[in-house]
Amino acid sequence: MSPSDRSPTPGEQWPHEEARKLADRVASYEPDRPAIIESGFGPSGLPHLGTMGEVLRPSYVRHAFALINPSRPSRLIVFIDDMDGLRKVPESVPHREATAAYLGRPVSRIPDPFGCCQSFSEHMIGMLIDFLKPVAVSYELMRSSQTYATGVFDPTLRLILEKHREIIDIITPTLRKENRGQWSPFMPICPSCGQVNSTLVTAYHPERGTVEFSCQRSFGGAHGCGFRGEQSVLGGKAKVQWKVDWALRWFALKVDYELYGKDLIDSANLSGRIVRLLGGNPPLGFAYEMFLDEEGHKVSKSIGRGVTVDQWLRYAPIEVLKYFLVLNPRRARKLFIEAIPQYVDDYLGELRAWAASDEQQRRASNLEFVLQPDSIRSFKSDLTYGLIMNLVSALGTSNPELIWNYLTHYDPAITEDQDTRTLADRLVQCALNFYHDFIEPTKQRYQPTREEQAQIAELVSFLTHNPEAPAEQIEKEIYEIGRRHYDKPGKIFPLLYKVLLGQKQGPRLGVFIKLATPQRIVMLLEQSGRVFGA
């Protein structure tokens, strides 16, 4: 019986589903042969949170696989393509003009523009390692430059050389007509100028393990040096083109599973065909949607888009990031700083539900993959991050003790549970950071018109005479005021948000007024204009 034949748990998350497929694939392997899961990182630019997702997501599948098949070992290989030639200098690196002189060379052979590591790629790899430390994931780094140079790929490279004509027939129909005639699976590294993107293969010699080539291509701002010669494709003296390189890894490393962006579906299909040509079995694949920035563009390391881990940790706990990255990968998600508060509140809702559920439901929850041994496992309060942030904005303070006075007045039980107190304390500090960095610099005091002041005066009067009114009654009174002054009562809310928070949108005002206290809200409303009670 296959290890995956156990009945699925109702509501199981996608990592469990993928792990079952992986368990079926490896069921016939020798008992000590590990399941190989691969991810990749191109060190031609700074890592971002999308990069983290490319490592965390397969680690979630690996974790689920271990639960399904604990006797089968597994490996997560993060393959670093540091043999790739630098195509353009990322906007986010210093000394761009100096680095541009090395365009076309493998990034492992380009000096570090930051001046602290052995090469451009080593700097990016170091950043990736630091990037992944907070999420406590286990993986193996494998560098392309070392794997080529030490001969690990040599047997497969010989096979590719023998079958170069069939591989060309697979790839060239997918290329533009003007690029088909000169395409080759191999990219020799020019011994004269060190470029890899500028070389053009002119003849193949499988019996000698060599190709003839000329260094004559122009690529971006880089130009070939004109060298001509014959050179081995083994021992790191050449690499293969991207789609062939992917097939090379899959075949040589016996990869069983890999996730990749949906923009690589066609590439994965072509690489799979090459693996079959070589006599192998392509890995199981999972195509995920892209991470998008606030403008809907794909997050990119080459042009510096994205959010860093340090930025995330300044505005939200690390568990929220892990929760965000475990959500359904087949749904595109926006990944920018201003979206973080909503993800925090989504996480708090999941944490509350998880804490209240039974063991079976907990195993099926996304939090199975998120919570670390030292993670907080309960939040016994209905407070939201959005409410805390709006309280900070309304009070206009950087004093956490003042914030806590309001929080404990709203929910005295917040201090009774240590986990709740600890997490709330972290959220208060994150909210203060967010306010200081984004809200305070752009906050503008809104001056209501005389007509709007009359509406505000009605709310002030209600709150003054009903200081103990519950949130629902306050919300109802605001609607009544809006009904008396607008064709649609909801139109009063943007006015109050602008007066109280300096923004057009905000939380449910009844709850927020109770949190900030009616007395404080009356003071803020009165500060917006001194014409009341007319």
Side-chain angles (χ1 to χ4, degrees):
M1 185 189 318
S2 167
S4 69
D5 285 344
R6 179 179 65 82
S7 298
T9 301
E12 263 188 348
Q13 303 302 323
W14 67 269
H16 290 286
E17 298 174 1
E18 295 302 297
R20 293 183 191 288
K21 299 174 186 176
L22 179 58
D24 286 340
R25 175 184 169 101
V26 304
S28 62
Y29 292 177
E30 293 296 320
D32 59 345
R33 177 179 164 182
I36 305 296
I37 302 171
E38 187 194 36
S39 182
F41 172 60
S44 58
L46 303 176
H48 49 70
L49 291 189
T51 311
M52 181 176 284
E54 293 172 4
V55 179
L56 268 184
R57 284 171 167 174
S59 78
Y60 295 147
V61 175
R62 187 186 184 199
H63 174 79
F65 177 80
L67 295 175
I68 293 171
N69 194 354
S71 63
R72 171 76 64 181
S74 64
R75 297 169 62 194
L76 171 56
I77 297 172
V78 178
F79 195 91
I80 310 295
D81 189 8
D82 62 350
M83 285 278 280
D84 194 27
L86 186 65
R87 299 172 182 272
K88 64 179 179 179
V89 182
E91 296 176 5
S92 49
V93 304
H95 314 299
R96 297 184 70 232
E97 291 185 4
T99 301
Y102 296 93
L103 285 174
R105 298 190 187 186
V107 289
S108 57
R109 304 185 183 188
I110 297 175
D112 176 18
F114 295 87
C116 59
C117 297
Q118 292 182 347
S119 68
F120 187 105
S121 62
E122 280 303 307
H123 186 95
M124 302 305 173
I125 293 169
M127 291 189 68
L128 176 67
I129 293 171
D130 290 342
F131 210 61
L132 295 172
K133 284 180 180 178
V135 296
V137 61
S138 176
Y139 60 92
E140 304 171 36
L141 280 183
M142 187 175 290
R143 291 167 172 80
S144 177
S145 57
Q146 294 177 357
T147 313
Y148 270 96
T150 57
V152 172
F153 283 158
D154 281 357
T156 308
L157 290 170
R158 287 187 179 276
L159 194 55
I160 291 171
L161 187 57
E162 291 173 5
K163 297 182 178 293
H164 70 273
R165 172 45 56 193
E166 294 97 320
I167 293 173
I168 291 173
D169 290 342
I170 289 173
I171 298 296
T172 52
T174 68
L175 304 177
R176 294 179 181 177
K177 289 184 178 179
E178 61 269 24
N179 295 331
R180 294 176 183 176
Q182 297 182 331
W183 189 87
S184 168
F186 290 95
M187 302 172 70
I189 299 175
C190 179
S192 177
C193 67
Q195 292 191 64
V196 66
N197 290 341
S198 59
T199 53
L200 174 66
V201 174
T202 55
Y204 300 85
H205 302 290
E207 70 283 0
R208 298 198 293 267
T210 66
V211 293
E212 294 179 35
F213 70 97
S214 60
C215 183
Q216 67 181 62
R217 293 179 185 269
S218 295
F219 188 90
H223 305 280
C225 67
F227 176 87
R228 295 176 179 270
E230 182 176 341
Q231 185 165 290
S232 174
V233 299
L234 309 177
K237 294 183 179 180
K239 69 162 295 184
V240 288
Q241 299 271 10
W242 151 236
K243 297 178 183 67
V244 187
D245 192 86
W246 211 4
L248 168 69
R249 297 181 216 167
W250 289 350
F251 183 83
L253 303 179
K254 297 181 172 59
V255 176
D256 294 301
Y257 185 88
E258 182 155 355
L259 291 91
Y260 43 81
K262 72 170 188 178
D263 57 334
L264 297 180
I265 291 175
D266 290 341
S267 296
N269 290 336
L270 291 171
S271 297
R273 290 179 61 187
I274 295 171
V275 171
R276 293 187 185 93
L277 175 68
L278 300 178
N281 185 21
L284 300 172
F286 185 105
Y288 55 79
E289 282 282 352
M290 300 291 99
F291 291 113
L292 309 175
D293 64 14
E294 62 270 33
E295 297 177 356
H297 300 300
K298 175 185 174 183
V299 172
S300 169
K301 62 179 179 289
S302 63
I303 60 176
R305 289 195 184 110
V307 181
T308 69
V309 171
D310 288 342
Q311 286 175 319
W312 187 286
L313 293 180
R314 182 166 171 78
Y315 310 122
I318 191 65
E319 287 84 1
V320 179
L321 173 57
K322 295 181 72 174
Y323 171 74
F324 168 80
L325 293 174
V326 79
L327 296 175
N328 183 1
R330 288 203 166 101
R331 175 183 170 188
R333 298 185 187 279
K334 290 192 173 182
L335 182 56
F336 58 99
I337 289 174
E338 289 78 6
I340 290 176
Q342 182 58 56
Y343 292 124
V344 175
D345 281 335
D346 291 345
Y347 172 79
L348 293 179
E350 182 82 1
L351 184 61
R352 292 187 191 99
W354 180 87
S357 61
D358 60 32
E359 183 178 354
Q360 184 177 11
Q361 290 171 320
R362 290 187 180 190
R363 285 201 305 267
S365 168
N366 280 320
L367 295 195
E368 175 183 340
F369 309 101
V370 171
L371 296 176
Q372 297 168 197
D374 60 347
S375 295
I376 291 170
R377 295 173 179 266
S378 66
F379 190 65
K380 298 177 181 179
S381 173
D382 63 356
L383 280 169
T384 66
Y385 190 42
L387 270 176
I388 297 173
M389 291 184 66
N390 285 314
L391 177 64
V392 172
S393 181
L395 296 178
T397 181
S398 59
N399 184 352
E401 292 184 4
L402 179 60
I403 302 298
W404 267 103
N405 288 339
Y406 281 88
L407 295 182
T408 54
H409 179 270
Y410 173 78
D411 184 4
I414 197 172
T415 60
E416 296 175 2
D417 177 71
Q418 185 57 49
D419 275 0
T420 303
R421 168 70 197 233
T422 302
L423 181 51
D425 192 54
R426 174 66 177 138
L427 295 177
V428 167
Q429 188 56 60
C430 288
L432 288 168
N433 292 339
F434 199 98
Y435 175 76
H436 177 270
D437 294 349
F438 296 103
I439 298 175
E440 188 177 32
T442 60
K443 191 174 182 180
Q444 295 180 348
R445 176 167 293 179
Y446 179 73
Q447 179 62 50
T449 65
R450 184 173 295 273
E451 181 181 347
E452 290 171 335
Q453 287 177 2
Q455 302 166 38
I456 292 171
E458 293 181 35
L459 180 57
V460 167
S461 176
F462 174 82
L463 295 176
T464 301
H465 291 91
N466 300 275
E468 302 301 323
E472 295 80 4
Q473 186 179 352
I474 296 173
E475 193 86 14
K476 182 178 179 181
E477 179 61 25
I478 294 172
Y479 268 103
E480 289 300 323
I481 296 172
R483 187 172 287 109
R484 291 194 290 269
H485 292 273
Y486 297 97
D487 57 334
K488 295 181 180 179
K491 289 183 177 180
I492 193 174
F493 287 94
L495 165 64
L496 297 176
Y497 291 138
K498 287 186 288 185
V499 171
L500 295 172
L501 303 173
Q503 56 198 43
K504 295 181 179 180
Q505 296 178 323
R508 291 184 62 86
L509 279 175
V511 175
F512 175 68
I513 290 171
K514 291 297 290 183
L515 172 62
T517 73
Q519 295 82 1
R520 176 69 183 179
I521 295 300
V522 165
M523 185 185 72
L524 292 172
L525 292 173
E526 288 180 339
Q527 287 177 350
S528 69
R530 295 298 179 181
V531 184
F532 292 103

